Amino acid sequence: MASHHGADSSGVPGRPGCRSSDPSIVGRPFILAGGGENMTLAKLRPTLHLSRIRRPDDIVLASMPLREDVDRSVLSRFAEDVWSMDAAIFRVMVRRYRTISFESIICPVEKLTAKEYIYAWLNERFPDRSERLRPSTARVALVGLCQFMAFVRDRIGAFDVSAIDQDLLDEWRYLHMSRKIAPRRLADLLKPVSQLHRLAPFLTHGGIGFSPWKGRAIFAVAGCDGRRQENKTPRIPEAVIGAILRWSLKYVDVFAKDIFAARAELDALHEQYANRPRGRKAGSIVEKTTAWIAKRRKSGRGVPVWSEAGAMGGICGSSVRYGRIRGDVLNMALIGLQSGFHITNLIGHKVAYPLLMDAVAELGTEAGGLDTEISLDPETGKPWRSRFDSFALIREEKHLQTAAYILCAYLTGMRGGEVQAMQHNCLVRDRSVDGMVERIAVRSTVYKGRPAPGETAEWITIEPVARAIQVAERLASRHLNEGSKDRLWGVLHRGTVPEHGLPHILRQIARFQQNLDDRYGAEGEPAIPWIEGRPWSFNTLQLRRTVAWYIANRPFGVVAGKIQYKHASVAMFDGYAGSSASGFRQEVEQEHLLGQLDDIVEHYEACRRGERPAGPAGIRVAAEMDRVAMEMGPLPGVIADRARVRSMLGHLARTLHVGHLSDCFFEPSTALCLRHSKDTEKSTPSLPNCAPDRCPNSCLARRHLPAWQAAITHAEAMLEEKRLSNVQRIAIRQDRDRMRKLIAPLLEERS
């Protein structure tokens, strides 16, 4: 076994290491051991640092499926120090990491090893039938290898594969275990070790010659137990998702028409300005300015100023700081478009410009300045914003695109990559065989678990998503070009941006959230509720998990005040395809199981706080909670282990179905909702036939109180109706009294 400290790192034949203490070795002369001859590194490269396995012109993506639009003559070659992976990346949302660079690797041995390592992992087939490296993750694989090579160099003075032994590998493992990282992350960090052993035949300087950890699987070495891990992605709180969906729907259904109208007006002004008459026919600057002022005076409108001049910077920002016109900045660009002259001709004019300043004093100013009328917000009865200017219009178009994206991502249950792959004309409408039900589908591409190009699939969805897609198509249609082609989520108003889908969607959602808080929120009451004193931090994984959880556990919950999750679930999988191509139904079932466990823990914690359940099943459920509490024996004021509670109450959780009026601990033999059912083996309650005040499976908690109290109030209001018959009055009183008796235990606890 080689000693770590005895490894020769001179960089000579037989020991091809590179000293970590001399990072500038490339290009510097050094002495060959034993020969005494002064040679440069350039002279050594032909014998030491050329690959004995790969030719310089080998195509890097030789074994990868490539996109049809790729020019194969420009594919990266092995000899190059920057490799483009773009030709083999089909996911449009992958903007970064489409190239990998070896330029920063100074040591020629490490650089050659890294190149051969990535090339072999991309292209070679092995008897174990393990998957090839995905081009989109090649950069991550290179970073992992470089980290391991740097560790070896730091420990033994050079990256010398022949000097690596099991003790060194254990040290690498313990180094990361001390950071208390997740086992799966540790497995990723250990992967370069297994790959250096596996790819050894394809490395000029060799790989690890022994089986690391005696051939044990890396996941086992990292401590992964092989069981499916619970999804750790946080669910978006109901208040947050409800608010942002409500505003997204409002943008798509109410605000969109104003945004599109303003864009059409501005485009028409630009076209009119481009086609304006020139020379004497155009008229004088004074005449045009006078006519424009007269038109504004007649319509009772002020002189346009920029809506947010301070945020624009440049001359506008300076003007705001100077405080002219009460801090406003005239929108000279719009005035010029509407009048038909270039603004420099007006600003320097000795007669026309003073006329404009006099108009400011007479007419006042108007934020924005475009003629497009602003619609009334149906909730406030007031215009939802001031009039548009060109910069405000750009911002609102981006907010509208974000709102459409949120609706598509959340209400379809699609993954982020599947949403990003949507194209123009992806909306499909048809009817069921009997012609009674309209079927709305979104056509896109599934990537997970599929070959690299992905597979075309359809997601059944609901009408709000269809409206969001139509809005997104109108926004994107102005920006289609050879780069973006028919992508639905293109970059709006770009400068020089790679055309690979909508970048920074999380930043756009954060800006959308901030815009809503700034415009519609109040101090202490943001438009999108804060959680634990800060705005909720969104990511795209949360959207899919949250809608799956609500469909599974709160099917009759209301989305943004107008869409029921039950309706969404029927559209997504119940009534049509059986299960979506992206596995959404399976995720819903997983979330249902997790939701049942969370809900049973909530019942347990409520019992520990003295909130005893009511209803026909209340005594049975409370007895189980008491039994678990006695077995766990927690001290007063000590929070019990949630995982242990889950385990001990798992038998109850499997029967729990949360409802609006009560929770059902379902037992088919005693369920009143199944009395007239022909399905004797039904495993779930029939919610439309629920009798929560009489069924032995029904259990009430404090969160059910508001619904029952509202029903009691409604009954009392009906009793005041004089036209009721005696029979009707008696029946209503009996129902009211029964409801009062049912919730009495919950009210006694509160008092």
Side-chain angles (χ1 to χ4, degrees):
M1 182 178 296
S3 169
H4 296 174
H5 302 287
D8 183 359
S9 55
S10 60
V12 300
R15 184 64 77 188
C18 295
R19 293 184 184 275
S20 61
S21 59
D22 190 2
S24 59
I25 187 172
V26 175
R28 288 178 53 187
F30 60 99
I31 305 299
L32 279 175
E37 181 183 355
N38 194 336
M39 297 182 64
T40 65
L41 187 62
K43 293 180 180 180
L44 284 177
R45 278 200 185 107
T47 57
L48 285 181
H49 307 306
L50 287 179
S51 175
R52 296 196 299 266
I53 300 169
R54 308 296 175 194
R55 296 192 303 269
D57 61 346
D58 281 350
I59 296 175
V60 173
L61 300 174
S63 303
M64 294 285 107
L66 305 178
R67 298 199 314 270
E68 295 180 357
D69 60 341
V70 170
D71 181 2
R72 285 162 169 74
S73 65
V74 298
L75 293 176
S76 296
R77 310 290 168 151
F78 182 83
E80 298 171 10
D81 280 350
V82 178
W83 293 355
S84 173
M85 301 285 113
D86 183 73
I89 297 177
F90 292 83
R91 301 192 186 200
V92 296
M93 70 182 298
V94 179
R95 293 187 63 250
R96 298 181 299 167
Y97 310 154
R98 287 180 174 261
T99 61
I100 58 174
S101 174
F102 303 92
E103 293 177 323
S104 61
I105 304 177
I106 297 174
C107 172
V109 172
E110 292 182 17
K111 178 179 288 189
L112 179 59
T113 299
K115 281 188 170 185
E116 292 177 330
Y117 175 94
I118 297 296
Y119 188 99
W121 198 355
L122 283 168
N123 294 286
E124 298 297 342
R125 284 285 192 188
F126 293 88
D128 59 7
R129 302 179 64 84
S130 56
E131 293 185 357
R132 289 177 171 143
L133 179 65
R134 296 194 304 273
S136 60
T137 61
R139 185 179 183 275
V140 176
L142 177 60
V143 169
L145 174 65
C146 289
Q147 289 175 340
F148 179 70
M149 292 193 299
F151 166 80
V152 174
R153 188 188 334 122
D154 180 65
R155 291 299 188 274
I156 64 177
F159 177 71
D160 183 358
V161 179
S162 64
I164 297 175
D165 57 21
Q166 186 59 59
D167 291 340
L168 189 62
L169 299 184
D170 287 335
E171 188 177 348
W172 171 248
R173 176 191 172 207
Y174 293 138
L175 173 67
H176 294 294
M177 289 179 65
S178 64
R179 296 163 51 200
K180 298 182 180 179
I181 59 177
R184 289 184 176 273
R185 173 59 181 149
L186 177 58
D188 291 337
L189 292 167
L190 297 182
K191 185 162 288 187
V193 173
S194 64
Q195 292 298 325
L196 283 172
H197 171 67
R198 179 170 167 265
L199 302 175
F202 305 99
L203 304 177
T204 295
H205 296 295
I208 297 177
F210 60 93
S211 294
W213 293 287
K214 297 181 179 180
R216 292 176 62 201
I218 289 296
F219 276 90
V221 174
C224 301
D225 56 12
R227 294 180 296 180
R228 189 181 185 88
Q229 299 293 315
E230 180 179 332
N231 191 345
K232 299 297 184 182
T233 302
R235 295 192 300 267
I236 305 171
E238 186 171 11
V240 175
I241 191 62
I244 202 164
L245 283 174
R246 181 170 62 86
W247 283 107
S248 296
L249 285 166
K250 192 178 287 188
Y251 256 87
V252 168
D253 294 338
V254 180
F255 303 164
K257 65 178 183 295
D258 293 351
I259 296 172
F260 289 130
R263 173 54 63 188
E265 178 190 348
L266 191 58
D267 287 346
L269 284 173
H270 281 288
E271 183 178 0
Q272 177 183 324
Y273 181 82
N275 298 326
R276 70 190 186 281
R278 307 297 177 94
R280 293 183 178 180
K281 294 182 180 180
S284 71
I285 299 297
V286 175
E287 290 174 354
K288 290 182 178 181
T289 303
T290 302
W292 181 85
I293 293 172
K295 185 177 179 181
R296 303 295 286 194
R297 183 184 295 114
K298 183 177 180 180
S299 61
R301 296 174 60 187
V303 179
V305 296
W306 292 103
S307 300
E308 298 180 35
M312 295 165 59
I315 296 176
C316 290
S318 299
S319 299
V320 171
R321 291 193 294 272
Y322 294 149
R324 299 179 61 186
I325 319 178
R326 299 180 302 279
D328 291 328
V329 179
L330 293 182
N331 189 345
M332 300 298 292
L334 181 59
I335 295 172
L337 285 175
Q338 292 176 335
S339 303
F341 52 71
H342 197 276
I343 59 173
T344 55
N345 295 333
L346 173 63
I347 293 174
H349 203 284
K350 295 182 179 180
V351 178
Y353 190 72
L355 286 175
L356 184 62
M357 292 297 100
D358 292 342
V360 172
E362 176 193 352
L363 305 177
T365 58
E366 173 188 292
L370 286 174
D371 294 337
T372 298
E373 294 285 346
I374 304 300
S375 299
L376 301 180
D377 186 327
E379 294 184 8
T380 64
K382 300 178 181 179
W384 64 276
R385 61 158 295 125
S386 60
R387 290 180 187 263
F388 292 99
D389 57 46
S390 57
F391 282 93
L393 179 57
I394 288 173
R395 286 192 293 270
E396 291 295 356
E397 284 178 324
K398 292 179 179 179
H399 292 324
L400 179 58
Q401 184 188 54
T402 304
Y405 186 96
I406 290 171
L407 292 175
C408 289
Y410 187 75
L411 295 177
T412 61
M414 298 168 74
R415 295 186 180 90
E418 295 158 358
V419 177
Q420 294 276 2
M422 294 166 62
Q423 300 181 352
H424 278 260
N425 301 316
C426 64
L427 192 64
V428 180
R429 292 179 182 267
D430 58 19
R431 289 195 170 272
S432 58
V433 177
D434 58 8
M436 298 298 292
V437 179
E438 183 182 35
R439 178 178 177 270
I440 306 173
V442 179
R443 183 177 294 123
S444 187
T445 305
V446 182
Y447 293 106
K448 187 170 182 177
R450 304 299 196 278
E455 294 180 0
T456 301
E458 291 185 358
W459 287 258
I460 309 301
T461 189
I462 53 182
E463 186 61 39
V465 174
R467 298 197 297 270
I469 291 174
Q470 291 166 353
V471 163
E473 287 180 335
R474 288 189 64 180
L475 288 170
S477 61
R478 298 186 70 254
H479 303 278
L480 293 178
N481 55 37
E482 185 61 28
S484 60
K485 294 186 178 178
D486 53 359
R487 298 300 180 194
L488 186 61
W489 305 108
V491 180
L492 302 182
H493 311 285
R494 56 189 151 294
T496 304
V497 179
E499 300 299 335
H500 296 304
L502 184 63
H504 313 309
I505 183 59
L506 298 184
R507 293 185 188 177
Q508 288 201 203
I509 293 176
R511 293 190 189 108
F512 181 58
Q513 185 179 10
Q514 185 65 49
N515 169 67
L516 295 173
D517 286 345
D518 292 344
R519 181 174 296 164
Y520 304 105
E523 186 174 354
E525 295 183 6
I528 308 299
W530 288 15
I531 304 299
E532 297 181 354
R534 66 183 64 184
W536 181 260
S537 179
F538 286 91
N539 69 51
T540 53
L541 297 177
Q542 296 169 357
L543 295 171
R544 179 176 167 102
R545 191 193 179 192
T546 301
V547 73
W549 189 90
Y550 277 108
I551 286 175
N553 299 288
R554 303 292 186 269
F556 293 99
V558 177
V559 180
K562 59 194 301 186
I563 305 169
Q564 284 195 345
Y565 285 106
K566 186 62 178 176
H567 298 166
S569 70
V570 168
M572 288 179 189
F573 56 78
D574 278 351
Y576 300 98
S579 62
S580 74
S582 64
F584 182 70
R585 184 166 191 165
Q586 288 80 356
E587 289 197 22
V588 170
E589 292 172 354
Q590 292 166 12
E591 293 300 332
H592 177 59
L593 295 176
L594 293 173
Q596 287 176 311
L597 292 171
D598 289 341
D599 289 329
I600 200 65
V601 173
E602 286 186 16
H603 272 284
Y604 176 82
E605 292 177 346
C607 281
R608 297 297 298 158
R609 293 192 301 267
E611 300 173 11
R612 310 296 287 181
I619 296 176
R620 172 167 62 92
V621 173
E624 281 294 296
M625 303 295 175
D626 291 340
R627 178 188 63 80
V628 170
M630 289 183 64
E631 290 188 19
M632 296 189 67
L635 297 174
V638 177
I639 299 175
D641 182 359
R642 289 179 67 90
R644 192 176 172 198
V645 173
R646 279 180 164 196
S647 176
M648 298 184 70
L649 290 173
H651 64 292
L652 274 183
R654 286 188 290 271
T655 68
L656 175 58
H657 298 267
V658 173
H660 181 61
L661 292 174
S662 71
D663 291 346
C664 176
F665 288 88
F666 184 63
E667 291 288 345
S669 59
T670 58
L672 293 184
C673 62
L674 301 184
R675 283 184 304 177
H676 305 295
S677 175
K678 296 180 180 180
D679 187 357
T680 58
E681 298 182 358
K682 190 173 178 63
S683 59
T684 57
S686 177
L687 296 179
N689 299 320
C690 181
D693 56 336
R694 300 188 301 275
C695 181
N697 298 335
S698 176
C699 177
L700 274 66
R702 281 192 180 179
R703 56 186 164 78
H704 298 120
L705 266 178
W708 287 100
Q709 289 172 328
I712 292 171
T713 301
H714 179 66
E716 290 175 341
M718 291 181 63
L719 288 173
E720 295 178 2
E721 179 63 50
K722 296 180 180 180
R723 291 176 293 179
L724 290 177
S725 67
N726 289 334
V727 175
Q728 290 173 320
R729 199 173 298 278
I730 291 172
I732 293 173
R733 284 197 186 111
Q734 288 176 345
D735 280 344
R736 180 199 62 187
D737 294 342
R738 187 176 69 252
M739 289 187 288
R740 284 177 173 172
K741 182 179 180 181
L742 184 68
I743 67 173
L746 299 177
L747 293 173
E748 291 172 1
E749 291 172 8
R750 296 182 69 176
S751 62

